Amino acid sequence: MGMKHVAHIVWDWNGTLLHDIDTVIEATNASFAEIGMEPITLERYRDLYCVPVPRFYERLMGRLPTDAEWRVMDDAFHRHYWALAASAGLATGARELLADCQAAGHTQSLCSLAPHDRLVPLLRTYGIEDHFIRVDGRIGDSTTGKAEQMVRHLAVLQGVAPEHVVVIGDALDDAVAAAHAGAHAVLYTGGSHSRTSLASAGVPVVDTLAEATQVAAELVSGRSVNGSAAG
């Protein structure tokens, strides 16, 4: 891979290693139907999606959903998503890339807002759990972002300096979480956000996970990376 500098890569799961954006759109539209909302296209979803999720609904509805609406949509989304999740596959080349990174001496972990008790069995199903020195999914209910979870995730890793950490994810929230923890970030266009939306984070934006790991090495080495030019 041409990666000469040792990095610790914190992977996101949904929309990054797991190519589940089609499943997300299907589950989102199912949840919208529950309260009579029109379906959303992939392009519009990527333009508007944000965390915390109620703000995403506010952008669509012109107002925050009521508590009752939120409960209905949230329950419907997760019911449909988890019924379909098993049919989602890994992102192109993800399995091989994880193995290559490990073989090159880089350490890897996973920090996700997916429920921890569902995330771990999925990693075993895909046969990739051994590539990560730590896996942290969401514990309990939360509509907030990943920032505090990322801080906790990195705090328990032994001997990993923040300047050697690169978070690879598909959402603006991944860049926010990385900055909050003093780490680098690379954003990938294969998931929840449009390239234009991701570019607003001011970090490198790439179109493949292979590019993401290459840029990660450059960031750790101290080389300048133009966020708008990457990918």
Side-chain angles (χ1 to χ4, degrees):
M1 293 186 299
M3 297 174 64
K4 297 180 181 179
H5 298 273
V6 174
H8 177 80
I9 297 174
V10 180
W11 293 97
D12 173 56
W13 177 241
N14 301 101
T16 304
L17 289 175
L18 184 69
H19 184 69
D20 65 347
I21 187 61
D22 296 327
T23 300
V24 167
I25 296 299
E26 188 169 344
T28 296
N29 284 330
S31 72
F32 286 178
E34 295 275 346
I35 63 168
M37 287 178 61
E38 292 295 318
I40 190 172
T41 64
L42 171 60
E43 292 74 22
R44 183 163 169 75
Y45 181 95
R46 282 176 163 164
D47 283 339
L48 296 180
Y49 182 74
C50 62
V51 174
V53 176
R55 285 187 55 208
F56 166 57
Y57 291 131
E58 182 180 19
R59 290 181 174 186
L60 283 169
M61 302 169 71
R63 62 175 174 82
L64 282 169
T66 66
D67 289 345
E69 288 172 331
W70 166 252
R71 285 194 297 272
V72 168
M73 288 191 294
D74 191 51
D75 288 347
F77 174 86
H78 287 99
R79 184 171 66 254
H80 287 278
Y81 177 85
W82 290 110
L84 298 166
S87 63
L90 296 177
T92 301
R95 188 186 309 277
E96 295 77 14
L97 193 60
L98 290 170
D100 288 347
C101 285
Q102 186 173 20
H106 306 290
T107 55
Q108 301 171 95
S109 61
L110 195 152
C111 184
S112 171
L113 291 176
H116 188 79
D117 59 349
R118 290 188 179 271
L119 175 62
V120 172
L122 273 178
L123 298 180
R124 292 173 182 155
T125 296
Y126 288 110
I128 59 173
E129 73 275 15
D130 290 343
H131 294 303
F132 307 111
I133 62 173
R134 184 173 180 87
V135 172
D136 282 316
R138 175 172 54 82
I139 303 295
D141 296 326
S142 174
T143 59
T144 60
K146 195 186 288 182
E148 294 303 326
Q149 182 177 330
M150 184 65 69
V151 170
R152 293 192 297 270
H153 178 79
L154 295 182
V156 297
L157 298 179
Q158 298 295 319
V160 177
E163 62 268 23
H164 291 161
V165 174
V166 183
V167 176
I168 298 178
D170 70 310
L172 290 172
D173 186 55
D174 292 303
V176 171
H180 191 68
H184 303 286
V186 180
L187 298 180
Y188 163 62
T189 61
S192 60
H193 286 25
S194 66
R195 171 175 280 276
T196 299
S197 178
L198 293 176
S200 68
V203 302
V205 177
V206 299
D207 296 319
T208 70
L209 296 184
E211 289 177 88
T213 58
Q214 291 166 2
V215 173
E218 294 176 6
L219 290 170
V220 169
S221 74
R223 292 172 56 191
S224 176
V225 178
N226 187 325
S228 62

